[in-house]
Amino acid sequence: MAKHWADFQYEIYRNGMTGAVPRLPTDLTRLEELAEHRLGPGPVGYVAGSAGNGSTARANRGALERRRILPRVLRDVQQRDLSVEVLGRALPAPLALAPVGVLSIMHPEAERAAARAAAAQGVPYILSSASSTPMEHVAEAMGNGERWFQLYWGKDREVTRSFLGRARTAGFTVLVVTLDTPMLAWRPRDLDQAYLPFVHGVGTANYFTDPAFQAGLAKPVHKDPAAAVRHFLGLYGDASHTWPDLAFLREQWDGPIVLKGILHPDDARLAADAGMDGVAVSNHGGRQVAGSVAAADALPRVAAAVGDRLTVLFDSGVRTGDDVFKALALGARAVLLGRPYVYGLGLDGQAGVEHVIRCLLAEFDLTLALSGHATPATVGAADLTE
């Protein structure tokens, strides 16, 4: 029988019989405020902050809030199965942890803790190129857990080639290529504190341990860390890439490739034409283009354009179980969860990340059932109203 994620609520109530209450809120929208109070302003600002005045991040939430679920009753939802197949992988629920870099600014166990939490709950963990922990160490920490690798596609082809080879060897199965960050956006919250972890060599672990990256240095990283940082900053992004360049990635990676940061249906069609396997409809959580279309408003058009050809994933603004339901109704196959798990990590390490995953999926399971569905496969546009 499939696992009922909703049973987490009874576990909480049972624990309450001994006077125990959850260490973190079960309303995941409260985590940001808690993190603001407990963690340093630089790290919290880096995670919570957005491009410009934050209008895109607010629009992401607004686009999900604006859509309301239209529940149906007297349907048999006693036995539910949240499992889905995504990119040829069987997942226990339509969820993966989104790639978020420099997690050591939130917790000393950083990506290892987040990866272990994902593995413990059976959901994929997407490791950022800009992690604080080398990819091999993250792979070791999560054992057989499903892991995908996110690439920041930089200027040095040999470093890219090396990264993809290392990721394949370390058991990463899906490549997620972020296309909306060829350069950093104007982010006042970070700028006002002059806070950028990379200039201090934080979030550079994959680069500093890479043979192709090291080959471009006059001295080893430990002998001249400042030069290593400068080299990293010089090759991190590349705004000159165009669609034909995807052929290089396809040659280097024989597994599924997902393009992240797609908002326009024509770009989604170009991704399909280029032989990609999926797109992630995302505006980087509002961190890249101030005034951008909300990701949830872009999702239906992208799904309509390529849903029959590509796997459509979604992120940017997901905070609750009903957000997951709405994203599926708008055409996504699965969602990527970002900031909430990072706050969970900062507040309570691996246990905090597991708490976030279990809360989100319990709420999604209950939302699904109480809306008249026993499986994500039956959720569609007719389940939403504006």
Side-chain angles (χ1 to χ4, degrees):
M1 198 195 325
K3 171 178 181 173
H4 277 183
W5 293 89
D7 292 344
F8 184 37
Q9 67 171 328
Y10 297 113
E11 183 183 316
I12 292 172
Y13 290 135
R14 277 196 306 273
N15 291 340
M17 293 164 67
T18 63
V21 298
R23 284 164 57 91
L24 294 179
T26 54
D27 171 1
L28 301 181
T29 65
R30 292 179 53 207
L31 293 177
E32 182 173 333
E33 188 184 359
L34 205 58
E36 296 267 11
H37 285 118
R38 291 197 199 165
L39 305 172
V44 171
Y46 186 78
V47 175
S50 303
N53 68 1
S55 69
T56 303
R58 289 192 298 276
N60 285 337
R61 289 299 305 142
L64 288 164
E65 294 277 353
R66 195 175 73 243
R67 293 172 167 89
R68 312 305 295 175
I69 297 167
L70 202 56
R72 301 296 302 273
V73 297
L74 288 177
R75 292 177 167 186
D76 183 359
V77 293
Q78 187 68 35
Q79 296 303 327
R80 297 178 306 285
D81 184 356
L82 267 55
S83 65
V84 291
E85 188 182 289
V86 176
L87 298 163
R89 271 129 198 89
L91 308 184
L95 176 74
L97 295 192
V100 181
V102 292
L103 290 184
S104 61
I105 67 176
M106 296 300 277
H107 192 277
E109 293 196 345
E111 291 81 12
R112 284 184 183 88
R116 282 197 301 265
Q121 295 303 319
V123 302
Y125 177 66
I126 310 177
L127 179 71
S128 171
S129 281
S131 61
S132 311
T133 314
M135 62 183 89
E136 292 81 4
H137 297 184
V138 176
E140 190 180 354
M142 67 186 303
N144 294 324
E146 180 74 26
R147 49 188 175 269
W148 304 353
F149 183 71
Q150 177 269 344
L151 177 71
Y152 278 122
W153 192 8
K155 288 189 176 73
D156 190 324
R157 271 198 167 199
E158 293 313 308
V159 171
T160 298
R161 199 192 308 271
S162 179
F163 268 29
L164 300 188
R166 288 170 62 193
R168 193 181 306 104
T169 301
F172 292 85
T173 57
V174 173
L175 179 63
V176 178
V177 186
T178 298
L179 296 179
D180 57 16
T181 317
M183 59 194 80
L184 290 181
W186 187 254
R187 298 176 184 169
R189 197 156 171 186
D190 296 336
L191 291 163
D192 290 350
Q193 299 184 76
Y195 184 85
L196 184 65
F198 303 117
V199 301
H200 304 289
V202 180
T204 57
N206 286 315
Y207 298 84
F208 286 7
T209 56
D210 192 82
F213 178 88
Q214 293 167 352
L217 301 174
K219 297 177 184 172
V221 174
H222 67 277
K223 289 200 172 165
D224 193 349
V229 167
R230 284 194 300 274
H231 186 52
F232 163 80
L233 294 172
L235 59 76
Y236 175 68
D238 188 345
S240 72
H241 287 136
T242 58
W243 291 98
D245 294 320
L246 288 170
F248 170 74
L249 297 181
R250 185 77 279 178
E251 285 163 19
Q252 303 302 317
W253 187 265
D254 52 11
I257 301 179
V258 175
L259 301 186
K260 182 171 179 283
I262 301 295
L263 295 167
H264 198 294
D266 287 350
D267 282 348
R269 292 184 186 100
L270 288 167
D273 294 344
M276 300 295 104
D277 303 277
V279 291
V281 175
S282 167
N283 56 29
H284 218 94
R287 290 169 64 74
Q288 280 301 100
V289 179
S292 165
V293 62
D297 285 335
L299 175 57
R301 294 177 67 207
V302 170
V306 298
D308 56 339
R309 299 168 71 191
L310 298 178
T311 298
V312 178
L313 306 176
F314 174 78
D315 83 15
S316 300
V318 175
R319 299 289 178 271
T320 64
D322 56 287
D323 291 338
V324 178
F325 182 99
K326 291 173 184 178
L328 300 186
L330 293 170
R333 183 83 180 144
V335 302
L336 313 182
L337 183 71
R339 288 181 178 99
Y341 91 77
V342 180
Y343 299 135
L345 173 70
L347 293 164
D348 201 19
Q350 178 182 340
V353 180
E354 289 199 53
H355 172 84
V356 168
I357 294 169
R358 295 186 74 192
C359 285
L360 187 87
L361 290 179
E363 189 177 23
F364 171 59
D365 189 3
L366 290 163
T367 303
L368 192 74
L370 293 169
S371 301
H373 297 273
T375 164
T378 57
V379 176
D383 294 298
L384 296 186
T385 183
E386 283 202 39

